[in-house]
Each structure stands twice: as structure tokens, then as C-alpha cells.
Amino acid sequence: MPETIPADSVGLITPQVAQFDEPLVLACGQTLPTYQLIYETYGQLNADASNAILICHALSGDHHAAGYHSMEDRKPGWWDSAIGPGKPIDTNRFFVISLNNLGGCGGSTGPTSVNPATGKVWGAEFPMVTVEDWVVSQARLADRFGIQQFAAIVGGSLGGMQVLEWSVRYPERLQAAAIIASAPKLSTQNIAFNEVARQSIRRDPEFFDGNYQAEDTIPRNGLGLARMLGHITYLSDDSMGNKFGRQMRHDTYQYNYEVEFEVESYLRYQGEAFTKRFDANTYMLMTKALDYFDPAAREGGDLAKVLSKAQCEFLLVSFTTDWRFSPARSEEIVDALIRCGKHVSYTKIEAIEGHDAFLFPIPRYMNALRGFLGRVANRLPEEQA
Amino acid sequence: MRADLELISDWIPAGSRVLDLGCGNGALLEHLQQHKRVAGYGLEIDADNINTCIEKGIPVLEQDIDEGLQNFAEQDFDIVVMAHALQQFRRPDLLLDEMLRIGKEAVITFPNFGHWRNRIHLGIKGHMPVSEFLPYNWYDTPNIHFCTFSDFRDLCQSKNLKIQRWAAVDGQLRDHWWTRMMPNLFSETAIFKVSR
């Protein structure tokens, strides 16, 4: 709980909901007749709506990126370290929009929402959504604010994929793109990890083919397991080693299957905590969105050809110990951007945190983001006092 | 801007696609962007330099040149530049090959180790030269492959490279009849433009 709101925080925030009654045709072929998007904004939109930054969230993220919902909150939003007055995503200069993606469980229409056609919870019936669908829905949200062009769009991991898609789907609608710890498509190993996560959910007897809400239960074990596996892949061997080593619960081995090593306890806790805040169907959907993303496939596998449509300036950031989305994956994007002559800068940040590093305020990383967005801010029109 | 960069920029045609290996704070690319409509990228590994480039909007890529340039396509650039850095790499000869694989031309500047003052340092005093321009001791210098003007020219000849242009200049980057006449003895900085 914050005793007082820190000076560099965006403060107390109330999420807003936008209702859309224009049907959305999804990549999977189905149509969502109506839907809602929940979002938060930080900072002030300027007169010509040119100072907006869109934040795209990753697998388990949501719209609550910065600030607090109440003085009782234990922690601020998931990217509070980067968003706020004077921070790299500077709310003194930018108007920041952060939404929960379609199919999410943070308040936007998703598997836990009621299907207006049936009056029942969507559950497993909720259609598959893709990165492309999200970008289209995000553009519609931008239209509501009269934002023709974002000053920048920023995202890490799955969020970075959305930024990449924005740059080629609506090239004229963003000036700058920051793609952090991301990839142009998942590797085979990535897809394999996702499949294990999905199987652990689906094989939980409490899953009921995705209609667990109707049965008044949740697949706690399966979702917890999926999260434990995911969590391991977000950390590096070194960071886990530093944090836990072989620390034990007891002084001597107990020779049983209870928690022996502290890392086991940590993973169990992480898995359990996740089931209290996240929906299993949403987790399944998000992992599928990751699997399906492959913009280069639209041009016979030629990423440079796809990216040649882009008009914005790019910043790519990777982290040395990230093995889920390794630096080499970011470099694939960088190389393709160079091949088609785009304005791109790339930095590979020394970090111990693995894939999770993109959520940490590592000074070099924050400075790169600050420098990149600072230039964007300097091009904005002077505000009338 | 460092005087050798000014000189290099005169050698780069307007509108070229340039790769600057070891671009430092991006001064050359900034100058080329502003005055010559050059689209370029810099390679750099120093964190502060990278950040300066990002702040200035100079496209910079964090990449260790010693680990190779395989990610760049053949003949992808009009000119590949390496200013005052060739002597710092593990295999300058192979690097030169790589520069001319990705670029149609290469521009290289390096300190001429054959300059008379270096010769005195080594020949009379019997010590490795340390100067204002080369302020390192032999054990902590990043310059692991010093060469002379003539050494580099010989390397180009042994590789059958065409020397399109060269300049031999003094500490203030001026050329004189004596630096032109006896570059190996009188020039402090050597500048070459080579191609296949």
C-alpha cells in the first residue's frame, strides 16, 4: 500500500470502458457483433491529438500499466517504472493509453464476459483472437480519441508483436515504434512451451472443455502449472540461481515430495497466485495469439518485404539473458529493417533477469527508451500556456 | 567534428547508403545526414555512445564487429567506413574483406605507426610510442594491430584491391607536399578509399 503517492507516479487512476457496436470481423472468420475495451489513460492529450503513446501489453498484462487504483493497492501498475511524470514514457509530455486486449480477463470483452447472443458466459465459445485483431481494435479505440497518428507505440514481448503489426498495418498512424524483447514469430521451442501450458490446463478435470465457469469452478491446478512453466522460461538460470540457489526449507533432506528447495515453494506460490487473477481460457487464447503471429508469412516468409511498408522510426531492445525471446530474435527484425532501409536503432542490454528484464527499470534500457521518445517529444508542437 | 571525419565526408557522394563501423557518438553520420542526404547506420558497442546516437536520432546498432558482419547482405552499402578503429580488431585483414563484401567501397582511416616521431620513440628511446593522440601503454591499448602507411598499402596490393584514393595528413589533418611525398614518414593519419 502506498502511504503517499510518489511524486513521479501518475497517481490514482480510474479505468474507463469504451463500448463498440460496430461488428469486428476476426482473422479466424468469426465476427464479434459488439465488444468493450477497458483502458486507462495518463497525461493530457494535446490540442491536435499528436502526443499519444499506445502501450501494448504482453501475455499476462492488462490495462493497468501505471499508478494505483486505490490507496489500498499493494503494488502500482505493471509498467509503473517506465510510465509517469519525468519517466522515460513521460506523462508530462505524452498522453498514454493502455488497454486490456480483446479476449483478456481484465475487463475487456473476453471468455469471462457474457455473450449477448446467448445470455451466458462465453467461456470456450469465445472466438480466437490474433495480434492483427488486437491492432484493429486498438485503432478503433484511437479513433474515439481523434488520434490520427500516435507519437509512438510501445510494447514488450507479445506487446512488441502488436507494435510490429501496427507499423505495417497502419504505417501512417505512428511516428515511432519501440519493440522490446520481442520476435517476428515464435520459434518451435516457444510453440512447444505454449502447448505444454495449454495441455496442462486442458487436462485439468476442472477445465470442463473451457466451460468451468458454468460448473462454478476453475482449473486451478492446470493454470497454476502453466504459469509455473511459463515463469521458468521468463527467468534466466543465473537469476533463479542468485535468488534461490539450492536453499532448503529444512537443514536436512526430508526425502519426500513436500517443498524441499525454496525454488519449489516460490514456483508453487507463483502458480497459485496467478490462478486468483487470471482466467484459464484467456491464457489459452493469448498463447494461441502468440503461436499464430507471423507477419512474414504474408509475403512468402520475407520479413523485409513486409516491413518495407513501415514509415515510422524503430527502436529495438533485447536482453542478454533472455532465452524465451533471445537477442537473436530481435536481430532478425533489425536485419530485415536494415535490408529495407528503415530508420532503426538497436541495443542489447546486459541484464540478468531473462525475458522478464523488459519489466525492470534497468538504467541503460530506460535511458535508451528515454532518448528515443525524447526525440519524438521534441518534435511535438509547443503547447499554448 | 573530428577533422578526419570532415575529410572522410568529402569523399562520400551525396545520397549514398553508408555503414559506419565503430561510429562513436555518430558525428560522421549526423554530418552526412544533414549535409549529404546519406542514409546510414552505425555499429557501436559503447553504451554511452549508443545512447548519444539514439538521442540524436542516428540509427545505431549494438553489434560487436569482432563477432562478424554476417548479418549484412552482399553489396548492401555504397560505402563502408571505418575511422580510426581498424587497428583495434582481431583480424583487420579479414575485416577488410568483409567491408568489401557488404560495401562497394571502403573508407579506412588509421594512425600511421611509421610516423617519424614514433620511429624516434622506438628507435632512439627504445620504448613503445605514447603520445597525445595515442595515449595508451602497450599493455592497456585497444590498438592491437598497429600498422604503417606502407603496411596497409601492401595489404591492399596483396589482396588485389584498387586504391581509389588516399590521403596522408599531419596531426591537424592538413596535407603538405612532404606528407604527400613521403607519407610513411610524415603522415600521422592515413586515409584510404579502396574497392575490389
Side-chain angles (χ1 to χ4, degrees), chain A residues 313 315 331 334-335 337-350 364 367-372 375, chain B residues 17 33 39 41 45-48 50-51 53-63 67 71-73 76-77:
Chain A
E313 292 186 3
L315 174 69
E331 287 157 20
V334 174
D335 291 342
L337 286 167
I338 292 170
R339 222 165 299 133
C340 53
K342 300 300 171 190
H343 192 294
V344 54
S345 286
Y346 167 60
T347 179
K348 182 164 70 174
I349 306 290
E350 192 85 43
R364 259 199 79 194
N367 285 340
L369 201 55
R370 185 189 299 278
F372 181 67
R375 255 176 53 78
Chain B
R17 189 169 147 87
Q33 263 183 12
Y41 301 93
I45 49 169
D46 178 78
D48 292 334
I50 290 168
N51 225 38
C53 289
I54 291 174
E55 279 166 16
K56 291 199 291 194
I58 308 299
V60 64
L61 311 169
E62 182 160 352
Q63 183 171 341
E67 284 172 19
N71 52 317
F72 295 101
D76 200 9
F77 292 90

Side-chain angles (χ1 to χ4, degrees), chain A residues 34 137 155 206 306 325:
Chain A
T34 64
S137 68
E206 303 293 302
V306 178
F325 285 1

Side-chain angles (χ1 to χ4, degrees), chain A residues 9-133:
Chain A
S9 166
V10 296
L12 286 176
I13 296 296
T14 308
Q16 311 288 320
V17 174
Q19 170 73 34
F20 295 84
D21 295 320
E22 184 192 349
L24 182 65
V25 181
L26 303 169
C28 67
Q30 294 191 57
T31 300
L32 272 181
T34 64
Y35 56 94
Q36 290 185 337
L37 293 175
I38 191 167
Y39 64 92
E40 295 181 357
T41 69
Y42 323 112
Q44 297 295 320
L45 188 62
N46 63 4
D48 64 350
S50 62
N51 70 332
I53 290 185
L54 178 69
I55 307 293
C56 300
H57 70 71
L59 181 66
S60 61
D62 58 24
H63 54 292
H64 185 37
Y68 300 86
H69 284 161
S70 84
M71 295 303 282
E72 271 68 58
D73 286 1
R74 266 193 327 114
K75 285 194 290 188
W78 58 268
W79 213 14
D80 194 78
S81 57
I83 305 168
K87 290 179 182 172
I89 300 170
D90 188 350
T91 51
N92 288 332
R93 307 173 91 178
F94 293 113
F95 174 69
V96 179
I97 304 178
S98 172
L99 79 159
N100 183 217
N101 280 329
L102 221 43
C105 53
S108 290
T109 299
T112 55
S113 314
V114 172
N115 178 356
T118 63
K120 290 188 196 142
V121 167
W122 277 100
E125 300 302 308
F126 195 82
M128 289 273 184
V129 282
T130 62
V131 169
E132 292 84 345
D133 298 330

